[in-house]
Amino acid sequence: MRLRLTRRNLDFALHNPRFALGLVTGSLDHEQVLRERVSKDLEFLRRRASTIHANQGFPDLSQHEIEDLLRSVTPAYVENSWRMLNRWHAFLYTVTRAVMPRVVIETGVLYGHSSASILAGLEDNRKGSLISIDLPLEQHQSITEDGKHVQVGIRSSNLAVGCAVPISLRSRWNLQLGNSLELLPKILQKAGSISIFVHDSLHTYDHMMTEFRLAYNALDLGGLLISDDVGYNSAWQDFCRSRSEDWKVISKGLESDDHFGFLMKSHK
C-alpha cells in the first residue's frame, strides 16, 4: 500500500519525510510506519512522565490536577497534530505506572495506540500483563449512532488489529479476537481478579453497561474502571450511581464533549 497523492498526504510528507519516502519506495509499509510513530511518541511520553509515575496517589488527585499533569506530558496538543498519542493515551500510561497493576483488561483495540500506552507502562513497571479484546478484522466496521462513531472500524485489509503496538512491547500482551460480551466472562473467570479495566469498544448504552458490570465485579478493591467516550450516552453516569461510586471525568482537550472517565472501586 503506497502513499496516495492527496493534500493531507502531502502535508504528512512535509512533516515526516523519512516515513513518506519509505512508503513511496516500498521500504516501509503502513504498519511499520504506525509502530515507529507510536514508539517515538512513547519515548516523549515516558521522558515527560518520569516525575509523575512515582506518585501512586495519581488517581486520587483532583480532576483539575490530573488534567494539568496530563497536559504537561501529552505528545499531541492539538487535534491536527501529526503525533499519534493524545491525552487519553497519556492517562493510560501514567495511571498504569502509578497503580502498578497485576492484570489489565481492555476492550476495543483498533490499531493499538491505547494498548501500546498501557504496555509501555507495564514494561516500565517490570510487572503485569494486558489482555485485549477486539473484533477480528473481517467484522470490523464503523457504526454511527446519533451522529457519533460508537464503533470505529479498521479501514484497510492491509492493516491488522493492534498493528501499531511496537514489537518490543508485545511480550506482556494477550490479544484475543471476538465479541467482548462473549469473551469477557470467560477471561474474567480465568483471571480471577483484575487491577484495571478499560472500555473502548462498542459505545452503545447496553454494551457499555454490560461491560461495566462484568468488569466491576471482577475488580480488586481499589481497582480502576476506566471508560473512553463517556459523553456518548448516560451509561457511565448511570452505572457509577448504581454502585454508589464517585468518579472523575477528564477532557481529552480536543472537543468539549470528548471525555473519558474513571472510578476507583471502594466496596464490594
Side-chain angles (χ1 to χ4, degrees):
M1 187 165 63
R2 299 295 179 85
L3 195 66
R4 291 180 295 175
L5 191 61
T6 66
R7 183 174 179 176
R8 179 166 174 79
N9 285 342
L10 286 172
D11 192 29
F12 171 80
L14 289 173
H15 286 84
N16 301 272
R18 184 175 70 83
F19 292 146
L21 180 62
L23 289 170
V24 169
T25 60
S27 61
L28 290 174
D29 61 33
H30 280 69
E31 289 192 352
Q32 290 173 303
V33 169
L34 278 176
R35 285 195 293 271
E36 286 201 42
R37 291 175 69 197
V38 167
S39 294
K40 186 176 180 180
D41 274 14
L42 285 174
E43 288 178 13
F44 177 100
L45 176 56
R46 284 163 143 165
R47 185 171 63 252
R48 286 291 187 93
S50 61
T51 59
I52 299 174
H53 63 70
N55 181 2
Q56 295 186 354
F58 174 76
D60 293 316
L61 298 176
S62 70
Q63 176 180 320
H64 179 72
E65 289 172 318
I66 290 174
E67 288 182 344
D68 278 350
L69 285 172
L70 294 180
R71 193 176 296 114
S72 71
V73 303
T74 301
Y77 293 101
V78 293
E79 192 169 6
N80 62 354
S81 169
W82 283 109
R83 289 192 177 275
M84 295 275 94
L85 305 183
N86 60 32
R87 197 179 297 181
W88 163 246
H89 307 108
F91 172 80
L92 292 176
Y93 171 81
T94 305
V95 83
T96 298
R97 289 289 274 136
V99 172
M100 301 284 288
R102 181 181 59 85
V103 178
V104 181
I105 295 182
E106 163 200 39
T107 63
V109 177
L110 198 63
Y111 302 114
H113 298 67
S114 299
S115 307
S117 304
I118 297 167
L119 288 165
L122 295 174
E123 188 68 21
D124 292 346
N125 288 346
R126 299 184 181 180
K127 63 178 291 185
S129 61
L130 170 66
I131 302 171
S132 300
I133 305 171
D134 204 352
L135 295 169
L137 184 61
E138 61 272 14
Q139 294 179 27
H140 255 270
Q141 59 178 321
S142 293
I143 301 174
T144 303
E145 189 174 279
D146 297 326
K148 297 176 180 177
H149 283 90
V150 296
Q151 180 173 289
V152 179
I154 291 179
R155 290 172 288 183
S156 172
S157 58
N158 294 307
L159 296 174
V161 175
C163 62
V165 176
I167 303 300
S168 62
L169 296 177
R170 297 190 179 194
S171 63
R172 298 181 182 275
W173 193 30
N174 179 357
L175 173 61
Q176 300 199 23
L177 300 179
N179 186 312
S180 64
L181 299 189
E182 295 175 1
L183 293 179
L184 197 52
K186 303 172 186 176
I187 292 171
L188 291 171
Q189 183 178 24
K190 186 175 181 180
S193 63
I194 60 174
S195 309
I196 297 177
F197 177 84
V198 182
H199 161 81
D200 198 11
S201 58
L202 182 64
H203 297 322
T204 60
Y205 185 92
D206 290 344
H207 193 99
M208 293 172 76
M209 287 292 280
T210 302
E211 283 198 6
F212 295 159
R213 176 180 56 80
L214 290 169
Y216 182 88
N217 291 340
L219 276 176
D220 298 320
L221 280 178
L224 298 180
L225 183 68
I226 302 171
S227 177
D228 196 11
D229 296 317
V230 296
Y232 277 27
N233 54 59
S234 64
W236 175 254
Q237 294 88 341
D238 290 351
F239 180 81
C240 294
R241 291 189 181 110
S242 74
R243 295 301 192 274
S244 301
E245 292 284 12
D246 294 327
W247 73 90
K248 293 185 179 77
V249 172
I250 310 295
S251 169
K252 289 185 181 178
L254 301 180
E255 298 177 3
S256 59
D257 62 347
D258 203 2
H259 295 78
F260 59 89
F262 74 95
L263 66 80
M264 185 177 297
K265 185 174 180 179
S266 63
H267 51 265
K268 293 185 178 181

